[in-house]
Amino acid sequence: YMSGDALSPMGGAAPPSPYSRSPLGADGGASPFASPKAASRKIPRAPFKVLDAPALQDDFYLNLVDWSAQNVLAVGLANCVYLWSAHTSK
């Protein structure tokens, strides 16, 4: 029998409990363990900078473009590697 069940020996409605059976709380609100929502970013439709790489080889197995932790873009074209710094735009 469940407490408050009409067939239970006590019968009738159960008294309100200060405890919730839901892990999310009585109101179904956010859990205190839920990760915070990431702030949404506004991404412009027009590009800030266009870097031309006409000889960039289209090959799935090659990794000819890399962005470093120092905010430098490296592009491999033919037998050269070109570097571009996002800090100095050079």
Side-chain angles (χ1 to χ4, degrees):
Y1 298 105
M2 290 182 57
S3 176
D5 189 357
L7 299 175
S8 72
M10 298 180 69
S17 171
Y19 305 104
S20 171
R21 293 183 185 194
S22 169
L24 300 178
D27 61 353
S31 168
F33 302 109
S35 59
K37 250 188 156 178
S40 61
R41 300 184 316 165
K42 183 177 179 183
I43 300 174
R45 294 207 176 262
F48 171 75
K49 178 78 75 175
V50 176
L51 300 175
D52 192 22
L56 185 65
Q57 194 172 6
D58 186 15
D59 188 338
F60 178 79
Y61 296 102
L62 294 178
N63 188 13
L64 299 176
V65 178
D66 189 44
W67 195 281
S68 74
Q70 290 78 24
N71 222 8
V72 174
L73 179 69
V75 180
L77 300 175
N79 60 350
C80 297
V81 176
Y82 296 91
L83 302 175
W84 178 79
S85 171
H87 292 298
T88 62
S89 290
K90 295 181 181 180

